[in-house]
Amino acid sequence: MSTRRLRVILEGGCTYDIRIGHGLLANLALQVREVSQATRAVVITDSEVGPLYLNDVKAGLQLAGFEVFDLSLPAGEESKSVVVAAELWDALALLGIGRDGVIIALGGGVVGDIAGFVAATYMRGIDFIQVPTTLLAMVDSSIGGKNGINLAGGKNLVGTFRQPSYVAADLVTLATLPDSEWDNGFAEIAKSAIIEGKDFTQWLLDNTDSLLAHSEDTVQQAIVRSLSFKAYVVAHDEQEKGLRECLNYGHTFAHALEAVAGYGKVSHGRAVAEGMRFAARLAVEAIGVSEQFVKLQDDLLDGLGLMPIREAYSADKLFEKMFSDKKVRDSKLRFVLATKPGEWQAVVVDPDLIKIYLILWEQARI
């Protein structure tokens, strides 16, 4: 399998490479040398990923002449917090890390989000490398520069835009993923396909069996297609002032569900898939989307093993959490709604209609 390379080119002039393939961890230090003038490297990882890959990454960096440190977090969404961010800032300061430092995020989306946030805010910004080790992080959070931490009021309510200098997606790391993490990635790939267009959607429908079998060639193609689409979106709207809103498809419901269930109780991918189902049904009433599209999307999600969630959660609590969403403007909740593959709208939806559909969703699970 050959390594695939994509380049993100932002309107402001910032550019960086993404590589997807095998052996990228072994060559990571050389790539870091190419994109950063740093002499000191801090690898931020978690308690699950660290034991698998940290020693090899550190050894490679040391051979390349970096002074290397590592900081490990408890695995899980709870690490995306103000408390953990402050601990990391303090740790960097105690290590004497200055602008001669580079932070390397080795892990999934949580590690990438908190490490990116810390890199963006420590000393007003130091270099940052993404090394995603989950399918979800590879196809979504590792590129685009959005990072953040959670508050009691909602997910990702504090954050910045800070683009990485380089992204290395080594497919070897996928071999250790549990099924639940594959589901997370499949959900974001499905979201990307629906928003990108009919060709990607049809390709995904045609290749669900191969993806479920974890065929390396098919998985690499899915990652490349998802990242190519996201790179195009980010290049034209880095700070989510218009086009980039499309990437939030399924996320308004998903973020509310994650918060109400308790972070970590419902995985992000499962929540996004449920959010896509909810948005499609809401769109039938809100903007006249066809039932045919609802069925097509259901078939896609079902085919990927992303079946509807059966647990019931309070419609009132979900409604309340939705109004903490970043897409609320002037106390009006805007939903990203797909009309068919490749077409979408960001629309203000009548709160009473949202509440009706949330009640229907809850009642169907009681």
mmCIF file with all atom_site columns, all heavy atoms in Angstrom, residues 299-326:
data_model
loop_
_atom_site.group_PDB
_atom_site.id
_atom_site.type_symbol
_atom_site.label_atom_id
_atom_site.label_alt_id
_atom_site.label_comp_id
_atom_site.label_asym_id
_atom_site.label_entity_id
_atom_site.label_seq_id
_atom_site.pdbx_PDB_ins_code
_atom_site.Cartn_x
_atom_site.Cartn_y
_atom_site.Cartn_z
_atom_site.occupancy
_atom_site.B_iso_or_equiv
_atom_site.pdbx_formal_charge
_atom_site.auth_seq_id
_atom_site.auth_comp_id
_atom_site.auth_asym_id
_atom_site.auth_atom_id
_atom_site.pdbx_PDB_model_num
ATOM 1   N N   . ASP A 1 299 ? -30.518 3.390  5.267  1.00 0.00 ? 299 ASP A N   1
ATOM 2   C CA  . ASP A 1 299 ? -29.882 2.209  4.681  1.00 0.00 ? 299 ASP A CA  1
ATOM 3   C C   . ASP A 1 299 ? -28.365 2.300  4.798  1.00 0.00 ? 299 ASP A C   1
ATOM 4   O O   . ASP A 1 299 ? -27.688 1.301  5.085  1.00 0.00 ? 299 ASP A O   1
ATOM 5   C CB  . ASP A 1 299 ? -30.272 2.061  3.212  1.00 0.00 ? 299 ASP A CB  1
ATOM 6   C CG  . ASP A 1 299 ? -31.725 1.628  3.034  1.00 0.00 ? 299 ASP A CG  1
ATOM 7   O OD1 . ASP A 1 299 ? -32.341 1.180  4.017  1.00 0.00 ? 299 ASP A OD1 1
ATOM 8   O OD2 . ASP A 1 299 ? -32.235 1.750  1.899  1.00 0.00 ? 299 ASP A OD2 1
ATOM 9   N N   . LEU A 1 300 ? -27.820 3.489  4.583  1.00 0.00 ? 300 LEU A N   1
ATOM 10  C CA  . LEU A 1 300 ? -26.378 3.678  4.683  1.00 0.00 ? 300 LEU A CA  1
ATOM 11  C C   . LEU A 1 300 ? -25.899 3.427  6.108  1.00 0.00 ? 300 LEU A C   1
ATOM 12  O O   . LEU A 1 300 ? -24.932 2.683  6.338  1.00 0.00 ? 300 LEU A O   1
ATOM 13  C CB  . LEU A 1 300 ? -26.004 5.097  4.243  1.00 0.00 ? 300 LEU A CB  1
ATOM 14  C CG  . LEU A 1 300 ? -24.529 5.483  4.356  1.00 0.00 ? 300 LEU A CG  1
ATOM 15  C CD1 . LEU A 1 300 ? -23.674 4.593  3.469  1.00 0.00 ? 300 LEU A CD1 1
ATOM 16  C CD2 . LEU A 1 300 ? -24.331 6.951  3.994  1.00 0.00 ? 300 LEU A CD2 1
ATOM 17  N N   . LEU A 1 301 ? -26.575 4.029  7.076  1.00 0.00 ? 301 LEU A N   1
ATOM 18  C CA  . LEU A 1 301 ? -26.171 3.863  8.475  1.00 0.00 ? 301 LEU A CA  1
ATOM 19  C C   . LEU A 1 301 ? -26.367 2.421  8.941  1.00 0.00 ? 301 LEU A C   1
ATOM 20  O O   . LEU A 1 301 ? -25.505 1.862  9.628  1.00 0.00 ? 301 LEU A O   1
ATOM 21  C CB  . LEU A 1 301 ? -26.953 4.832  9.360  1.00 0.00 ? 301 LEU A CB  1
ATOM 22  C CG  . LEU A 1 301 ? -26.684 6.321  9.108  1.00 0.00 ? 301 LEU A CG  1
ATOM 23  C CD1 . LEU A 1 301 ? -27.648 7.181  9.912  1.00 0.00 ? 301 LEU A CD1 1
ATOM 24  C CD2 . LEU A 1 301 ? -25.242 6.690  9.447  1.00 0.00 ? 301 LEU A CD2 1
ATOM 25  N N   . ASP A 1 302 ? -27.495 1.822  8.560  1.00 0.00 ? 302 ASP A N   1
ATOM 26  C CA  . ASP A 1 302 ? -27.739 0.420  8.926  1.00 0.00 ? 302 ASP A CA  1
ATOM 27  C C   . ASP A 1 302 ? -26.655 -0.482 8.338  1.00 0.00 ? 302 ASP A C   1
ATOM 28  O O   . ASP A 1 302 ? -26.153 -1.397 8.999  1.00 0.00 ? 302 ASP A O   1
ATOM 29  C CB  . ASP A 1 302 ? -29.103 -0.041 8.424  1.00 0.00 ? 302 ASP A CB  1
ATOM 30  C CG  . ASP A 1 302 ? -30.271 0.608  9.155  1.00 0.00 ? 302 ASP A CG  1
ATOM 31  O OD1 . ASP A 1 302 ? -30.040 1.257  10.188 1.00 0.00 ? 302 ASP A OD1 1
ATOM 32  O OD2 . ASP A 1 302 ? -31.413 0.483  8.664  1.00 0.00 ? 302 ASP A OD2 1
ATOM 33  N N   . GLY A 1 303 ? -26.304 -0.216 7.070  1.00 0.00 ? 303 GLY A N   1
ATOM 34  C CA  . GLY A 1 303 ? -25.298 -1.032 6.401  1.00 0.00 ? 303 GLY A CA  1
ATOM 35  C C   . GLY A 1 303 ? -23.944 -0.975 7.067  1.00 0.00 ? 303 GLY A C   1
ATOM 36  O O   . GLY A 1 303 ? -23.166 -1.936 7.015  1.00 0.00 ? 303 GLY A O   1
ATOM 37  N N   . LEU A 1 304 ? -23.653 0.151  7.715  1.00 0.00 ? 304 LEU A N   1
ATOM 38  C CA  . LEU A 1 304 ? -22.390 0.316  8.427  1.00 0.00 ? 304 LEU A CA  1
ATOM 39  C C   . LEU A 1 304 ? -22.474 -0.179 9.872  1.00 0.00 ? 304 LEU A C   1
ATOM 40  O O   . LEU A 1 304 ? -21.517 -0.034 10.640 1.00 0.00 ? 304 LEU A O   1
ATOM 41  C CB  . LEU A 1 304 ? -21.970 1.789  8.416  1.00 0.00 ? 304 LEU A CB  1
ATOM 42  C CG  . LEU A 1 304 ? -21.522 2.333  7.052  1.00 0.00 ? 304 LEU A CG  1
ATOM 43  C CD1 . LEU A 1 304 ? -21.409 3.846  7.092  1.00 0.00 ? 304 LEU A CD1 1
ATOM 44  C CD2 . LEU A 1 304 ? -20.193 1.710  6.633  1.00 0.00 ? 304 LEU A CD2 1
ATOM 45  N N   . GLY A 1 305 ? -23.619 -0.760 10.235 1.00 0.00 ? 305 GLY A N   1
ATOM 46  C CA  . GLY A 1 305 ? -23.783 -1.286 11.586 1.00 0.00 ? 305 GLY A CA  1
ATOM 47  C C   . GLY A 1 305 ? -24.134 -0.245 12.621 1.00 0.00 ? 305 GLY A C   1
ATOM 48  O O   . GLY A 1 305 ? -24.062 -0.510 13.827 1.00 0.00 ? 305 GLY A O   1
ATOM 49  N N   . LEU A 1 306 ? -24.529 0.945  12.154 1.00 0.00 ? 306 LEU A N   1
ATOM 50  C CA  . LEU A 1 306 ? -24.861 2.048  13.073 1.00 0.00 ? 306 LEU A CA  1
ATOM 51  C C   . LEU A 1 306 ? -26.369 2.088  13.286 1.00 0.00 ? 306 LEU A C   1
ATOM 52  O O   . LEU A 1 306 ? -27.075 2.966  12.797 1.00 0.00 ? 306 LEU A O   1
ATOM 53  C CB  . LEU A 1 306 ? -24.343 3.373  12.499 1.00 0.00 ? 306 LEU A CB  1
ATOM 54  C CG  . LEU A 1 306 ? -22.827 3.418  12.268 1.00 0.00 ? 306 LEU A CG  1
ATOM 55  C CD1 . LEU A 1 306 ? -22.455 4.608  11.405 1.00 0.00 ? 306 LEU A CD1 1
ATOM 56  C CD2 . LEU A 1 306 ? -22.091 3.463  13.601 1.00 0.00 ? 306 LEU A CD2 1
ATOM 57  N N   . MET A 1 307 ? -26.866 1.121  14.029 1.00 0.00 ? 307 MET A N   1
ATOM 58  C CA  . MET A 1 307 ? -28.302 0.987  14.234 1.00 0.00 ? 307 MET A CA  1
ATOM 59  C C   . MET A 1 307 ? -28.807 2.058  15.199 1.00 0.00 ? 307 MET A C   1
ATOM 60  O O   . MET A 1 307 ? -28.036 2.642  15.977 1.00 0.00 ? 307 MET A O   1
ATOM 61  C CB  . MET A 1 307 ? -28.606 -0.403 14.787 1.00 0.00 ? 307 MET A CB  1
ATOM 62  C CG  . MET A 1 307 ? -28.052 -1.536 13.941 1.00 0.00 ? 307 MET A CG  1
ATOM 63  S SD  . MET A 1 307 ? -28.502 -1.434 12.186 1.00 0.00 ? 307 MET A SD  1
ATOM 64  C CE  . MET A 1 307 ? -30.252 -1.781 12.297 1.00 0.00 ? 307 MET A CE  1
ATOM 65  N N   . PRO A 1 308 ? -30.117 2.355  15.144 1.00 0.00 ? 308 PRO A N   1
ATOM 66  C CA  . PRO A 1 308 ? -30.672 3.387  16.038 1.00 0.00 ? 308 PRO A CA  1
ATOM 67  C C   . PRO A 1 308 ? -30.415 3.068  17.508 1.00 0.00 ? 308 PRO A C   1
ATOM 68  O O   . PRO A 1 308 ? -30.423 1.909  17.929 1.00 0.00 ? 308 PRO A O   1
ATOM 69  C CB  . PRO A 1 308 ? -32.175 3.357  15.729 1.00 0.00 ? 308 PRO A CB  1
ATOM 70  C CG  . PRO A 1 308 ? -32.268 2.812  14.337 1.00 0.00 ? 308 PRO A CG  1
ATOM 71  C CD  . PRO A 1 308 ? -31.140 1.816  14.222 1.00 0.00 ? 308 PRO A CD  1
ATOM 72  N N   . ILE A 1 309 ? -30.190 4.115  18.286 1.00 0.00 ? 309 ILE A N   1
ATOM 73  C CA  . ILE A 1 309 ? -30.008 3.967  19.730 1.00 0.00 ? 309 ILE A CA  1
ATOM 74  C C   . ILE A 1 309 ? -31.348 3.591  20.364 1.00 0.00 ? 309 ILE A C   1
ATOM 75  O O   . ILE A 1 309 ? -32.393 4.165  20.018 1.00 0.00 ? 309 ILE A O   1
ATOM 76  C CB  . ILE A 1 309 ? -29.469 5.280  20.326 1.00 0.00 ? 309 ILE A CB  1
ATOM 77  C CG1 . ILE A 1 309 ? -28.007 5.472  19.902 1.00 0.00 ? 309 ILE A CG1 1
ATOM 78  C CG2 . ILE A 1 309 ? -29.582 5.301  21.846 1.00 0.00 ? 309 ILE A CG2 1
ATOM 79  C CD1 . ILE A 1 309 ? -27.431 6.801  20.300 1.00 0.00 ? 309 ILE A CD1 1
ATOM 80  N N   . ARG A 1 310 ? -31.330 2.649  21.276 1.00 0.00 ? 310 ARG A N   1
ATOM 81  C CA  . ARG A 1 310 ? -32.576 2.168  21.888 1.00 0.00 ? 310 ARG A CA  1
ATOM 82  C C   . ARG A 1 310 ? -32.850 2.796  23.241 1.00 0.00 ? 310 ARG A C   1
ATOM 83  O O   . ARG A 1 310 ? -33.990 2.778  23.718 1.00 0.00 ? 310 ARG A O   1
ATOM 84  C CB  . ARG A 1 310 ? -32.530 0.640  22.018 1.00 0.00 ? 310 ARG A CB  1
ATOM 85  C CG  . ARG A 1 310 ? -32.524 -0.092 20.678 1.00 0.00 ? 310 ARG A CG  1
ATOM 86  C CD  . ARG A 1 310 ? -33.704 0.310  19.826 1.00 0.00 ? 310 ARG A CD  1
ATOM 87  N NE  . ARG A 1 310 ? -33.693 -0.294 18.500 1.00 0.00 ? 310 ARG A NE  1
ATOM 88  C CZ  . ARG A 1 310 ? -34.466 0.108  17.493 1.00 0.00 ? 310 ARG A CZ  1
ATOM 89  N NH1 . ARG A 1 310 ? -35.289 1.148  17.688 1.00 0.00 ? 310 ARG A NH1 1
ATOM 90  N NH2 . ARG A 1 310 ? -34.408 -0.476 16.328 1.00 0.00 ? 310 ARG A NH2 1
ATOM 91  N N   . GLU A 1 311 ? -31.821 3.334  23.878 1.00 0.00 ? 311 GLU A N   1
ATOM 92  C CA  . GLU A 1 311 ? -32.019 3.950  25.194 1.00 0.00 ? 311 GLU A CA  1
ATOM 93  C C   . GLU A 1 311 ? -32.793 5.261  25.038 1.00 0.00 ? 311 GLU A C   1
ATOM 94  O O   . GLU A 1 311 ? -32.566 6.021  24.095 1.00 0.00 ? 311 GLU A O   1
ATOM 95  C CB  . GLU A 1 311 ? -30.675 4.228  25.864 1.00 0.00 ? 311 GLU A CB  1
ATOM 96  C CG  . GLU A 1 311 ? -29.873 2.984  26.200 1.00 0.00 ? 311 GLU A CG  1
ATOM 97  C CD  . GLU A 1 311 ? -29.094 2.459  25.014 1.00 0.00 ? 311 GLU A CD  1
ATOM 98  O OE1 . GLU A 1 311 ? -29.102 3.114  23.957 1.00 0.00 ? 311 GLU A OE1 1
ATOM 99  O OE2 . GLU A 1 311 ? -28.488 1.387  25.152 1.00 0.00 ? 311 GLU A OE2 1
ATOM 100 N N   . ALA A 1 312 ? -33.686 5.521  25.969 1.00 0.00 ? 312 ALA A N   1
ATOM 101 C CA  . ALA A 1 312 ? -34.471 6.757  25.947 1.00 0.00 ? 312 ALA A CA  1
ATOM 102 C C   . ALA A 1 312 ? -33.807 7.811  26.831 1.00 0.00 ? 312 ALA A C   1
ATOM 103 O O   . ALA A 1 312 ? -33.300 7.500  27.923 1.00 0.00 ? 312 ALA A O   1
ATOM 104 C CB  . ALA A 1 312 ? -35.890 6.495  26.437 1.00 0.00 ? 312 ALA A CB  1
ATOM 105 N N   . TYR A 1 313 ? -33.793 9.043  26.345 1.00 0.00 ? 313 TYR A N   1
ATOM 106 C CA  . TYR A 1 313 ? -33.313 10.184 27.120 1.00 0.00 ? 313 TYR A CA  1
ATOM 107 C C   . TYR A 1 313 ? -34.355 11.286 27.050 1.00 0.00 ? 313 TYR A C   1
ATOM 108 O O   . TYR A 1 313 ? -35.108 11.398 26.071 1.00 0.00 ? 313 TYR A O   1
ATOM 109 C CB  . TYR A 1 313 ? -31.958 10.667 26.597 1.00 0.00 ? 313 TYR A CB  1
ATOM 110 C CG  . TYR A 1 313 ? -30.864 9.645  26.757 1.00 0.00 ? 313 TYR A CG  1
ATOM 111 C CD1 . TYR A 1 313 ? -30.524 8.784  25.713 1.00 0.00 ? 313 TYR A CD1 1
ATOM 112 C CD2 . TYR A 1 313 ? -30.194 9.514  27.969 1.00 0.00 ? 313 TYR A CD2 1
ATOM 113 C CE1 . TYR A 1 313 ? -29.525 7.824  25.873 1.00 0.00 ? 313 TYR A CE1 1
ATOM 114 C CE2 . TYR A 1 313 ? -29.188 8.558  28.135 1.00 0.00 ? 313 TYR A CE2 1
ATOM 115 C CZ  . TYR A 1 313 ? -28.866 7.712  27.084 1.00 0.00 ? 313 TYR A CZ  1
ATOM 116 O OH  . TYR A 1 313 ? -27.886 6.755  27.253 1.00 0.00 ? 313 TYR A OH  1
ATOM 117 N N   . SER A 1 314 ? -34.411 12.086 28.087 1.00 0.00 ? 314 SER A N   1
ATOM 118 C CA  . SER A 1 314 ? -35.460 13.086 28.249 1.00 0.00 ? 314 SER A CA  1
ATOM 119 C C   . SER A 1 314 ? -35.482 14.099 27.105 1.00 0.00 ? 314 SER A C   1
ATOM 120 O O   . SER A 1 314 ? -34.467 14.766 26.826 1.00 0.00 ? 314 SER A O   1
ATOM 121 C CB  . SER A 1 314 ? -35.261 13.817 29.576 1.00 0.00 ? 314 SER A CB  1
ATOM 122 O OG  . SER A 1 314 ? -36.009 15.009 29.627 1.00 0.00 ? 314 SER A OG  1
ATOM 123 N N   . ALA A 1 315 ? -36.631 14.242 26.473 1.00 0.00 ? 315 ALA A N   1
ATOM 124 C CA  . ALA A 1 315 ? -36.797 15.239 25.412 1.00 0.00 ? 315 ALA A CA  1
ATOM 125 C C   . ALA A 1 315 ? -36.573 16.644 25.960 1.00 0.00 ? 315 ALA A C   1
ATOM 126 O O   . ALA A 1 315 ? -35.960 17.483 25.281 1.00 0.00 ? 315 ALA A O   1
ATOM 127 C CB  . ALA A 1 315 ? -38.197 15.117 24.805 1.00 0.00 ? 315 ALA A CB  1
ATOM 128 N N   . ASP A 1 316 ? -37.037 16.904 27.145 1.00 0.00 ? 316 ASP A N   1
ATOM 129 C CA  . ASP A 1 316 ? -36.869 18.247 27.740 1.00 0.00 ? 316 ASP A CA  1
ATOM 130 C C   . ASP A 1 316 ? -35.392 18.561 27.961 1.00 0.00 ? 316 ASP A C   1
ATOM 131 O O   . ASP A 1 316 ? -34.938 19.681 27.687 1.00 0.00 ? 316 ASP A O   1
ATOM 132 C CB  . ASP A 1 316 ? -37.626 18.340 29.066 1.00 0.00 ? 316 ASP A CB  1
ATOM 133 C CG  . ASP A 1 316 ? -39.134 18.395 28.871 1.00 0.00 ? 316 ASP A CG  1
ATOM 134 O OD1 . ASP A 1 316 ? -39.577 18.759 27.765 1.00 0.00 ? 316 ASP A OD1 1
ATOM 135 O OD2 . ASP A 1 316 ? -39.857 18.062 29.831 1.00 0.00 ? 316 ASP A OD2 1
ATOM 136 N N   . LYS A 1 317 ? -34.637 17.594 28.451 1.00 0.00 ? 317 LYS A N   1
ATOM 137 C CA  . LYS A 1 317 ? -33.218 17.821 28.707 1.00 0.00 ? 317 LYS A CA  1
ATOM 138 C C   . LYS A 1 317 ? -32.444 17.976 27.402 1.00 0.00 ? 317 LYS A C   1
ATOM 139 O O   . LYS A 1 317 ? -31.528 18.805 27.290 1.00 0.00 ? 317 LYS A O   1
ATOM 140 C CB  . LYS A 1 317 ? -32.641 16.685 29.546 1.00 0.00 ? 317 LYS A CB  1
ATOM 141 C CG  . LYS A 1 317 ? -33.153 16.673 30.984 1.00 0.00 ? 317 LYS A CG  1
ATOM 142 C CD  . LYS A 1 317 ? -32.543 15.538 31.787 1.00 0.00 ? 317 LYS A CD  1
ATOM 143 C CE  . LYS A 1 317 ? -33.056 15.554 33.214 1.00 0.00 ? 317 LYS A CE  1
ATOM 144 N NZ  . LYS A 1 317 ? -32.504 14.422 34.024 1.00 0.00 ? 317 LYS A NZ  1
ATOM 145 N N   . LEU A 1 318 ? -32.799 17.189 26.400 1.00 0.00 ? 318 LEU A N   1
ATOM 146 C CA  . LEU A 1 318 ? -32.156 17.327 25.094 1.00 0.00 ? 318 LEU A CA  1
ATOM 147 C C   . LEU A 1 318 ? -32.427 18.706 24.496 1.00 0.00 ? 318 LEU A C   1
ATOM 148 O O   . LEU A 1 318 ? -31.526 19.351 23.953 1.00 0.00 ? 318 LEU A O   1
ATOM 149 C CB  . LEU A 1 318 ? -32.654 16.231 24.143 1.00 0.00 ? 318 LEU A CB  1
ATOM 150 C CG  . LEU A 1 318 ? -32.184 14.804 24.444 1.00 0.00 ? 318 LEU A CG  1
ATOM 151 C CD1 . LEU A 1 318 ? -32.978 13.799 23.626 1.00 0.00 ? 318 LEU A CD1 1
ATOM 152 C CD2 . LEU A 1 318 ? -30.692 14.646 24.149 1.00 0.00 ? 318 LEU A CD2 1
ATOM 153 N N   . PHE A 1 319 ? -33.670 19.140 24.616 1.00 0.00 ? 319 PHE A N   1
ATOM 154 C CA  . PHE A 1 319 ? -34.050 20.458 24.094 1.00 0.00 ? 319 PHE A CA  1
ATOM 155 C C   . PHE A 1 319 ? -33.246 21.561 24.781 1.00 0.00 ? 319 PHE A C   1
ATOM 156 O O   . PHE A 1 319 ? -32.720 22.476 24.137 1.00 0.00 ? 319 PHE A O   1
ATOM 157 C CB  . PHE A 1 319 ? -35.547 20.661 24.318 1.00 0.00 ? 319 PHE A CB  1
ATOM 158 C CG  . PHE A 1 319 ? -36.088 21.950 23.742 1.00 0.00 ? 319 PHE A CG  1
ATOM 159 C CD1 . PHE A 1 319 ? -36.357 22.057 22.390 1.00 0.00 ? 319 PHE A CD1 1
ATOM 160 C CD2 . PHE A 1 319 ? -36.322 23.037 24.565 1.00 0.00 ? 319 PHE A CD2 1
ATOM 161 C CE1 . PHE A 1 319 ? -36.854 23.251 21.856 1.00 0.00 ? 319 PHE A CE1 1
ATOM 162 C CE2 . PHE A 1 319 ? -36.824 24.225 24.048 1.00 0.00 ? 319 PHE A CE2 1
ATOM 163 C CZ  . PHE A 1 319 ? -37.096 24.326 22.693 1.00 0.00 ? 319 PHE A CZ  1
ATOM 164 N N   . GLU A 1 320 ? -33.120 21.450 26.098 1.00 0.00 ? 320 GLU A N   1
ATOM 165 C CA  . GLU A 1 320 ? -32.363 22.458 26.863 1.00 0.00 ? 320 GLU A CA  1
ATOM 166 C C   . GLU A 1 320 ? -30.898 22.489 26.426 1.00 0.00 ? 320 GLU A C   1
ATOM 167 O O   . GLU A 1 320 ? -30.323 23.566 26.226 1.00 0.00 ? 320 GLU A O   1
ATOM 168 C CB  . GLU A 1 320 ? -32.455 22.134 28.353 1.00 0.00 ? 320 GLU A CB  1
ATOM 169 C CG  . GLU A 1 320 ? -31.683 23.095 29.244 1.00 0.00 ? 320 GLU A CG  1
ATOM 170 C CD  . GLU A 1 320 ? -31.736 22.686 30.713 1.00 0.00 ? 320 GLU A CD  1
ATOM 171 O OE1 . GLU A 1 320 ? -32.522 21.776 31.051 1.00 0.00 ? 320 GLU A OE1 1
ATOM 172 O OE2 . GLU A 1 320 ? -30.969 23.266 31.505 1.00 0.00 ? 320 GLU A OE2 1
ATOM 173 N N   . LYS A 1 321 ? -30.285 21.315 26.243 1.00 0.00 ? 321 LYS A N   1
ATOM 174 C CA  . LYS A 1 321 ? -28.879 21.260 25.847 1.00 0.00 ? 321 LYS A CA  1
ATOM 175 C C   . LYS A 1 321 ? -28.672 21.771 24.420 1.00 0.00 ? 321 LYS A C   1
ATOM 176 O O   . LYS A 1 321 ? -27.627 22.349 24.115 1.00 0.00 ? 321 LYS A O   1
ATOM 177 C CB  . LYS A 1 321 ? -28.352 19.829 25.961 1.00 0.00 ? 321 LYS A CB  1
ATOM 178 C CG  . LYS A 1 321 ? -28.138 19.367 27.392 1.00 0.00 ? 321 LYS A CG  1
ATOM 179 C CD  . LYS A 1 321 ? -27.064 20.201 28.098 1.00 0.00 ? 321 LYS A CD  1
ATOM 180 C CE  . LYS A 1 321 ? -26.815 19.704 29.514 1.00 0.00 ? 321 LYS A CE  1
ATOM 181 N NZ  . LYS A 1 321 ? -25.837 20.561 30.241 1.00 0.00 ? 321 LYS A NZ  1
ATOM 182 N N   . MET A 1 322 ? -29.640 21.569 23.571 1.00 0.00 ? 322 MET A N   1
ATOM 183 C CA  . MET A 1 322 ? -29.500 22.062 22.198 1.00 0.00 ? 322 MET A CA  1
ATOM 184 C C   . MET A 1 322 ? -29.322 23.572 22.151 1.00 0.00 ? 322 MET A C   1
ATOM 185 O O   . MET A 1 322 ? -28.631 24.097 21.284 1.00 0.00 ? 322 MET A O   1
ATOM 186 C CB  . MET A 1 322 ? -30.719 21.659 21.360 1.00 0.00 ? 322 MET A CB  1
ATOM 187 C CG  . MET A 1 322 ? -30.703 20.231 20.899 1.00 0.00 ? 322 MET A CG  1
ATOM 188 S SD  . MET A 1 322 ? -32.113 19.871 19.838 1.00 0.00 ? 322 MET A SD  1
ATOM 189 C CE  . MET A 1 322 ? -31.810 18.139 19.472 1.00 0.00 ? 322 MET A CE  1
ATOM 190 N N   . PHE A 1 323 ? -29.921 24.267 23.098 1.00 0.00 ? 323 PHE A N   1
ATOM 191 C CA  . PHE A 1 323 ? -29.826 25.727 23.088 1.00 0.00 ? 323 PHE A CA  1
ATOM 192 C C   . PHE A 1 323 ? -28.532 26.233 23.723 1.00 0.00 ? 323 PHE A C   1
ATOM 193 O O   . PHE A 1 323 ? -28.332 27.440 23.838 1.00 0.00 ? 323 PHE A O   1
ATOM 194 C CB  . PHE A 1 323 ? -31.065 26.346 23.724 1.00 0.00 ? 323 PHE A CB  1
ATOM 195 C CG  . PHE A 1 323 ? -32.192 26.465 22.737 1.00 0.00 ? 323 PHE A CG  1
ATOM 196 C CD1 . PHE A 1 323 ? -33.046 25.404 22.522 1.00 0.00 ? 323 PHE A CD1 1
ATOM 197 C CD2 . PHE A 1 323 ? -32.356 27.613 21.985 1.00 0.00 ? 323 PHE A CD2 1
ATOM 198 C CE1 . PHE A 1 323 ? -34.070 25.486 21.585 1.00 0.00 ? 323 PHE A CE1 1
ATOM 199 C CE2 . PHE A 1 323 ? -33.372 27.715 21.053 1.00 0.00 ? 323 PHE A CE2 1
ATOM 200 C CZ  . PHE A 1 323 ? -34.232 26.650 20.847 1.00 0.00 ? 323 PHE A CZ  1
ATOM 201 N N   . SER A 1 324 ? -27.651 25.297 24.089 1.00 0.00 ? 324 SER A N   1
ATOM 202 C CA  . SER A 1 324 ? -26.282 25.667 24.444 1.00 0.00 ? 324 SER A CA  1
ATOM 203 C C   . SER A 1 324 ? -25.342 25.504 23.254 1.00 0.00 ? 324 SER A C   1
ATOM 204 O O   . SER A 1 324 ? -24.154 25.770 23.342 1.00 0.00 ? 324 SER A O   1
ATOM 205 C CB  . SER A 1 324 ? -25.768 24.784 25.595 1.00 0.00 ? 324 SER A CB  1
ATOM 206 O OG  . SER A 1 324 ? -26.536 24.975 26.754 1.00 0.00 ? 324 SER A OG  1
ATOM 207 N N   . ASP A 1 325 ? -25.902 25.070 22.136 1.00 0.00 ? 325 ASP A N   1
ATOM 208 C CA  . ASP A 1 325 ? -25.109 24.771 20.947 1.00 0.00 ? 325 ASP A CA  1
ATOM 209 C C   . ASP A 1 325 ? -24.519 26.041 20.342 1.00 0.00 ? 325 ASP A C   1
ATOM 210 O O   . ASP A 1 325 ? -25.119 27.123 20.393 1.00 0.00 ? 325 ASP A O   1
ATOM 211 C CB  . ASP A 1 325 ? -25.985 24.052 19.904 1.00 0.00 ? 325 ASP A CB  1
ATOM 212 C CG  . ASP A 1 325 ? -25.177 23.445 18.780 1.00 0.00 ? 325 ASP A CG  1
ATOM 213 O OD1 . ASP A 1 325 ? -24.753 22.290 18.913 1.00 0.00 ? 325 ASP A OD1 1
ATOM 214 O OD2 . ASP A 1 325 ? -24.966 24.141 17.762 1.00 0.00 ? 325 ASP A OD2 1
ATOM 215 N N   . LYS A 1 326 ? -23.335 25.898 19.729 1.00 0.00 ? 326 LYS A N   1
ATOM 216 C CA  . LYS A 1 326 ? -22.650 27.047 19.130 1.00 0.00 ? 326 LYS A CA  1
ATOM 217 C C   . LYS A 1 326 ? -23.408 27.617 17.935 1.00 0.00 ? 326 LYS A C   1
ATOM 218 O O   . LYS A 1 326 ? -23.136 28.736 17.504 1.00 0.00 ? 326 LYS A O   1
ATOM 219 C CB  . LYS A 1 326 ? -21.243 26.635 18.686 1.00 0.00 ? 326 LYS A CB  1
ATOM 220 C CG  . LYS A 1 326 ? -20.339 26.183 19.826 1.00 0.00 ? 326 LYS A CG  1
ATOM 221 C CD  . LYS A 1 326 ? -18.942 25.873 19.356 1.00 0.00 ? 326 LYS A CD  1
ATOM 222 C CE  . LYS A 1 326 ? -18.883 24.695 18.412 1.00 0.00 ? 326 LYS A CE  1
ATOM 223 N NZ  . LYS A 1 326 ? -19.282 23.422 19.051 1.00 0.00 ? 326 LYS A NZ  1
#
